[in-house]
Amino acid sequence: MKLTLRSVLPLLAGVAVLYSACTKTSSSVNPTSTDKKASDNVASSAIANNLAQSLAGAFGGASIKDGVTPSTNATSSKIKVQSSDYRCGFYVDTSLNLVFNQGDTLKATKTGGVKYYFVCNDNKTIGYDSVDSLNTTGSGPGYSYIYNIVQKYKVRGLNLNNSNFSLDGPMKAYIDNEYPKYKTFSRVHNTYVFSNLYVHGDDNFDITSGTATFRSQGQTNGGGWDYSGTITFLGNHKAKLFFLNKTFLINMLTGEATPA
């Protein structure tokens, strides 16, 4: 879990309450019957980019690249030690408020709360359960953004050194970007439920198998969409996206989608 703001600066420019929030979507991007419809290629690209970046922690929250180990930002005052290994037990920060400023142009504020429970065997961390709810607002020259991430993950190591691990649980990734100077915007509000994701850490955290259901509501200058569908992870940093009886192939490294 990475709590620094460095990873959440917009890439385009360079706890039951939490669970219920993860299953809701906002009507603010819900296209009406009179709205222009975005093309399937535009929608699939937005969904794919949101999936790849949110799983990698680009918008804040837990990243699959964290593996099963605790955050390096954890301090002893925030850990309730339950064994001789400091990594076992709870890591809690329920009043997160971080401010990031870079010069006079890049600004960001992250608020919310995180809750980790690290699972151990013989004083060795073998996984964690987490609930994250993080909201990041920021701006730079000619743009502003809001990232709203909610995750409820169950992660477990699958081999002795935890280089292979599984991930299950829901995630909400609402990503809004505004470019007033160019009078453009994008709002992609996605929710996912991941099942039996198998992550191979030694291969750049390739998701070699597993499935997900999703709902995506989006709006751009070119139109809107409201789609539900499924995702199948194929390995080799690929996934199959399916909605409206159409299939797209996702590159999980780049977030690109192409018709299959």
Side-chain angles (χ1 to χ4, degrees):
M1 175 71 180
K2 294 180 175 59
L3 303 182
T4 61
L5 286 175
R6 179 184 44 145
S7 63
V8 298
L9 287 175
L11 301 181
L12 293 177
V15 167
V17 173
L18 298 181
Y19 178 78
S20 64
C22 192
T23 61
K24 296 179 181 179
T25 53
S26 169
S27 61
S28 63
V29 297
N30 197 9
T32 68
S33 59
T34 58
D35 284 339
K36 180 181 177 180
K37 203 88 167 183
S39 71
D40 295 342
N41 286 342
V42 168
S44 65
S45 294
I47 295 167
N49 187 64
N50 180 287
L51 173 70
Q53 293 190 7
S54 56
L55 274 174
F59 307 120
S63 165
I64 59 171
K65 295 184 179 181
D66 293 337
V68 304
T69 58
S71 167
T72 57
N73 296 288
T75 63
S76 59
S77 63
K78 295 179 180 178
I79 297 177
K80 300 176 181 178
V81 178
Q82 295 181 331
S83 77
S84 59
D85 186 333
Y86 80 97
R87 294 172 296 179
C88 299
F90 287 102
Y91 165 63
V92 181
D93 187 338
T94 57
S95 58
L96 184 64
N97 192 338
L98 299 175
V99 177
F100 176 89
N101 293 309
Q102 182 174 319
D104 297 327
T105 56
L106 298 179
K107 303 179 184 297
T109 300
K110 180 188 284 187
T111 59
V114 298
K115 179 180 179 181
Y116 269 30
Y117 176 75
F118 294 104
V119 180
C120 296
N121 183 26
D122 292 332
N123 291 334
K124 178 184 178 182
T125 302
I126 59 171
Y128 66 80
D129 298 328
S130 70
V131 180
D132 302 348
S133 180
L134 300 171
N135 191 77
T136 306
T137 60
S139 63
Y143 68 87
S144 63
Y145 63 92
I146 300 174
Y147 301 158
N148 189 353
I149 303 295
V150 180
Q151 299 161 315
K152 187 176 181 181
Y153 283 171
K154 176 181 178 180
V155 173
R156 295 292 184 271
L158 298 175
N159 57 349
L160 289 176
N161 65 358
N162 294 325
S163 61
N164 298 332
F165 56 93
S166 63
L167 183 149
D168 294 87
M171 175 173 68
K172 162 185 164 181
Y174 284 10
I175 309 303
D176 297 353
N177 291 287
E178 304 279 346
Y179 303 89
K181 180 178 179 179
Y182 303 101
K183 298 181 180 180
T184 63
F185 69 93
S186 67
R187 303 185 185 105
V188 183
H189 290 190
N190 289 4
T191 55
Y192 308 90
V193 179
F194 300 114
S195 299
N196 299 315
L197 269 59
Y198 187 106
V199 185
H200 189 185
D202 289 338
D203 186 14
N204 198 16
F205 299 91
D206 183 26
I207 305 175
T208 60
S209 62
T211 61
T213 57
F214 75 89
R215 182 181 180 185
S216 176
Q217 294 178 293
Q219 193 81 42
T220 70
N221 293 77
W225 66 88
D226 185 351
Y227 296 142
S228 297
T230 60
I231 300 165
T232 302
F233 294 90
L234 306 173
N236 294 318
H237 304 286
K238 305 292 183 183
K240 182 169 64 176
L241 173 69
F242 181 80
F243 65 91
L244 291 181
N245 294 319
K246 295 183 179 181
T247 302
F248 298 84
L249 192 64
I250 300 174
N251 183 322
M252 293 298 296
L253 294 177
T254 64
E256 295 176 322
T258 56

